[in-house]
Amino acid sequence: MNLNSESTAQANFVWGDVVARTLHELGISMVFFSPGSRSTPLVLAFERHPSIDCASVLDERTAAFLALGYSRRTQKPAVILCTSGSAVTNWFPAIAEASHSSVPLLFLSADRPEELQNCASGQTIDQVNLFGSFVRGFHQIPLPDLDPTAIQSLRSALAQAYLESMDLNPGPVHLNFPFREPFLPLKLPDPVELSPLITMAPSKLDSDRAVDEISRLANQFVKPLIIAGEHAPAAFILDWLSKYPTPVLCDSLSPLREYPLSTKILRYENLLRDSSFAQQAKPDLIIVLGPLPTSKTLRSWIDQSGAERLVIEPRGISVDPLTSTSHSFQLEYSRLSLIELPICGNEWVKLWSSAEKSVEKKLELAFSEQSDFFEGKLVRLLSKDLPDHSYLQVSNSMPIRDLEWFWYAKEKKRKIFGNRGVNGIDGTLGTALGLAHLSDSPAFLLTGELAFLHDSNALLFHAQFMGSLTVFIINNKGGGIFENLPVAGEPEFEKCFATPQECDFSLLCEAHGIEFICPSTWEEISGLIQHPIATGVRVIEMKCDRKKDRETRRRLLSLSPS
């Protein structure tokens, strides 16, 4: 190693150390990294930092979803780190989900220097702005330089990236770090003294005008209805509606489902399938807090209602996919209690609450008589038996819909999560593992077998996992959601859409040293929910008949309030 090589190596080492110390100063405490050579200066710096937890994850795709789950629970960004080349592209599904669901994340990729670009150098692709509009910001970091001005510029870029990830519309930020070889110096340099970090304040909204305008518009009507999306905090809604009792339809992931509110409505799928009630319960004003629930029945009814629609979304993005006219307002949810609502008559509130109770009573009876394994009853048992303050990750397709349709309202303040940004089955298991990692509360995952197999690589993280995760696999031999499409009657359906897989989950779990259970009774399932594994991962398989379950759902959703 010549003198020039040694100075390069020392600059690399210092650069990594400054990154780790700065990010910790900003609030970073968790790094998920995948092995590689080019990222050596950053990996060693994070691993050697005494206050940063580091997890080595073989698969970059899994690492990104682990970080997504972890950041969703903690509400602050984790770091994801990998080497150059195709490794970086494996982040894309998680970045797309984080972008659309507003989860703050910092993605740090190592890269070749400029002289090794566009010359067939190994493990080299164009990583500049690789993720386009899916990230809140992209930062091309210069080559390591020991000049104090360069170091301060690096710290400023990191502070800016952190702010971008946590601003009004949180999300992923990509930082690209080129390094020249060698990566390790013969003599470790002393840590550099860091100048004070100058950070910018997050953006703030001028909300007074929005509050006044919403109040003015709202008080022109007498039959208001509120739809609470997954991001609207329960505390602010409860404070608001303590003064204005109003029917509230709760999204499947709405925190409000776990809090006491006499006017909350969970059975809207049943209610709005009843044509008489749907006509009688038409509001003249609908206030939507964030994205709409998944229900097509609800969306169609809103479009056809003719009601004035006000959409409140703090992130400043469009969350209204309907064709009817609406008015959008960028307003922080913490200001909801300042909005003046009309005092609606008792008959309006009673109409909704009485219908809710009527359908709930019929559903409860139907579920008590359901002896065969049915996907919807598993959701029902989870809603009743999950421990207080536990976490539940729900996969897309049928599980999230069964949650929306059949979840029983209890007041246990559990937290429910789902990857509803782009609604894919990517990273289902990895997200749940990240959600549970280093948590003091037990976590659960409800997933179909296809979503589980799609992300089974995440089982490799089991050896490093620290937490409690109970996985319920609904094995119905294929994609149950496609049973509801017209194509279900075609001869190509099983091969091209349902795509049943042959996998012995007991052997898959055995290969990873994971406990596997295949229960035979509902009582056994209830016990497994009430008493989760203390540490580690437990996988529970429940076998169902998807065609039979489709008919059971139709019967249950046809239960009406009359």
Side-chain angles (χ1 to χ4, degrees):
M1 180 183 290
N2 59 38
L3 182 60
N4 186 53
S5 295
E6 175 66 5
S7 63
T8 295
Q10 292 209 0
N12 289 338
F13 186 90
V14 168
W15 212 240
D17 179 64
V18 170
V19 170
R21 289 162 62 192
T22 303
L23 288 178
H24 179 259
E25 186 179 344
L26 289 164
I28 296 295
S29 60
M30 187 71 225
V31 175
F32 296 91
F33 70 89
S34 300
S37 174
R38 188 66 50 170
S39 53
T40 297
L42 294 172
V43 169
L44 291 182
F46 284 126
E47 181 68 18
R48 293 174 181 180
H49 194 286
S51 300
I52 294 178
D53 289 310
C54 292
S56 176
V57 187
L58 178 63
D59 174 11
E60 290 85 3
R61 180 174 173 271
T62 297
F65 277 106
L66 284 164
L68 186 144
Y70 182 89
S71 294
R72 182 170 271 146
R73 171 173 64 82
T74 61
Q75 294 296 297
K76 64 180 183 179
V79 164
I80 307 92
L81 170 64
C82 79
T83 191
S84 63
S86 61
V88 189
T89 66
N90 287 283
W91 287 342
F92 220 126
I95 284 179
E97 175 60 33
S99 180
H100 283 265
S101 57
S102 297
V103 178
L105 292 168
L106 295 178
F107 287 85
L108 278 57
S109 56
D111 200 0
R112 263 37 179 192
E114 186 177 3
E115 66 270 16
L116 294 181
Q117 300 288 335
N118 302 309
C119 60
S121 178
Q123 274 188 266
T124 306
I125 64 171
D126 183 0
Q127 297 175 195
V128 175
N129 286 309
L130 180 62
F131 302 107
S133 62
F134 285 94
V135 293
R136 301 293 182 265
F138 170 77
H139 298 265
Q140 178 65 23
I141 305 300
L143 284 162
D145 189 333
L146 295 179
D147 182 81
T149 302
I151 290 173
Q152 190 63 16
S153 294
L154 171 62
R155 281 167 57 78
S156 296
L158 294 168
Q160 178 65 28
Y162 186 89
L163 175 63
E164 289 168 342
S165 75
M166 292 286 285
D167 212 5
L168 291 175
N169 184 18
V173 176
H174 179 202
L175 300 98
N176 195 48
F177 289 80
F179 290 104
R180 290 193 177 108
E181 296 187 68
F183 306 128
L184 282 175
L186 295 174
K187 179 183 178 182
L188 296 183
D190 294 329
V192 298
E193 184 175 345
L194 300 179
S195 301
L197 184 62
I198 301 174
T199 58
M200 296 175 61
S203 303
K204 288 188 177 182
L205 297 178
D206 180 10
S207 302
D208 292 341
R209 185 178 300 176
V211 167
D212 292 343
E213 181 64 9
I214 295 170
S215 298
R216 184 188 67 80
L217 290 170
N219 277 281
Q220 299 175 27
F221 303 96
V222 295
K223 292 183 178 180
L225 186 70
I226 295 172
I227 300 177
E230 65 172 295
H231 299 298
F236 298 135
I237 300 175
L238 292 171
D239 183 42
W240 185 28
L241 298 188
S242 64
K243 297 177 286 187
Y244 306 101
T246 307
V248 183
L249 279 57
C250 299
D251 180 85
S252 55
L253 302 180
S254 169
L256 202 60
R257 285 182 170 232
E258 290 289 293
Y259 285 80
L261 181 66
S262 61
T263 60
K264 69 181 176 186
I265 305 296
L266 306 191
R267 303 281 78 90
Y268 49 84
E269 185 71 31
N270 288 70
L271 299 180
L272 299 180
R273 289 188 182 206
D274 182 282
S275 58
S276 175
F277 179 85
Q279 179 64 34
Q280 187 181 5
K282 278 188 177 181
D284 53 12
L285 171 68
I286 300 175
I287 298 178
V288 184
L289 307 179
L292 287 166
T294 60
S295 171
K296 289 184 178 180
T297 303
L298 173 62
R299 295 183 178 207
S300 176
W301 178 77
I302 292 171
D303 248 349
Q304 297 170 16
S305 70
E308 186 82 5
R309 190 151 43 88
L310 310 180
V311 180
I312 299 175
E313 172 52 68
R315 294 172 293 174
I317 60 175
S318 175
V319 293
D320 182 15
L322 304 185
T323 57
S324 53
T325 302
S326 66
H327 305 278
S328 295
F329 297 89
Q330 188 176 6
L331 179 69
E332 294 159 333
Y333 290 133
S334 60
R335 306 294 297 276
L336 285 177
S337 64
L338 300 179
I339 296 174
E340 297 177 4
L341 292 180
I343 304 297
C344 51
N346 290 335
E347 290 303 312
W348 174 244
V349 174
K350 186 178 178 180
L351 172 67
W352 281 93
S353 58
S354 296
E356 170 85 357
K357 291 175 183 177
S358 175
V359 171
E360 183 57 62
K361 185 177 180 179
K362 293 178 181 180
L363 273 178
E364 185 67 7
L365 176 62
F367 277 116
S368 68
E369 297 172 345
Q370 178 72 40
S371 57
D372 295 341
F373 276 174
F374 164 54
E375 301 162 45
K377 184 163 181 175
L378 177 55
V379 166
R380 193 75 168 182
L381 288 183
L382 286 167
S383 67
K384 292 186 173 185
D385 294 336
L386 278 178
D388 288 354
H389 302 285
S390 57
Y391 302 116
L392 174 64
Q393 175 77 21
V394 183
S395 74
N396 288 313
S397 297
M398 289 317 302
I400 194 69
R401 286 167 173 79
D402 283 337
L403 176 68
E404 186 170 76
W405 297 335
F406 304 128
W407 187 265
Y408 182 79
K410 296 200 80 171
E411 297 166 12
K412 290 189 174 184
K413 297 181 176 61
R414 300 157 299 188
K415 294 184 178 179
I416 310 170
F417 301 89
N419 288 351
R420 298 303 296 168
V422 289
N423 302 339
I425 63 170
D426 316 71
T428 298
L429 178 59
T431 303
L433 285 164
L435 183 73
H437 186 56
L438 298 179
S439 170
D440 294 329
S441 298
F444 295 77
L445 168 63
L446 176 64
T447 178
E449 87 279 10
L450 297 188
F452 183 86
L453 289 171
H454 195 275
D455 197 33
S456 60
N457 234 26
L459 293 174
L460 292 168
F461 186 65
H462 173 247
Q464 291 190 76
F465 174 69
M466 290 184 287
S468 166
L469 179 64
T470 300
V471 179
F472 280 96
I473 300 176
I474 296 172
N475 188 353
N476 57 13
K477 298 288 185 181
I481 194 169
F482 297 117
E483 292 287 348
N484 301 289
L485 300 179
V487 76
E490 299 300 317
E492 299 87 355
F493 176 71
E494 286 295 310
K495 174 184 176 180
C496 300
F497 296 91
T499 60
Q501 304 295 309
E502 293 298 328
C503 177
D504 188 326
F505 289 100
S506 66
L507 295 179
L508 180 60
C509 290
E510 182 181 352
H512 291 277
I514 291 173
E515 181 183 3
F516 173 82
I517 300 173
C518 190
S520 57
T521 67
W522 286 119
E523 291 74 20
E524 190 177 356
I525 289 176
S526 286
L528 291 167
I529 298 171
Q530 294 169 11
H531 306 288
I533 189 170
T535 58
V537 179
R538 172 186 285 162
V539 173
I540 301 163
E541 179 186 16
M542 190 180 86
K543 297 180 180 179
C544 299
D545 184 327
R546 66 178 136 90
K547 295 187 183 298
K548 185 177 178 181
D549 283 2
R550 177 190 62 192
E551 298 310 313
T552 302
R553 284 191 188 91
R554 289 177 178 174
R555 175 174 57 84
L556 292 175
L557 293 176
S558 69
L559 296 175
S560 67
S562 56

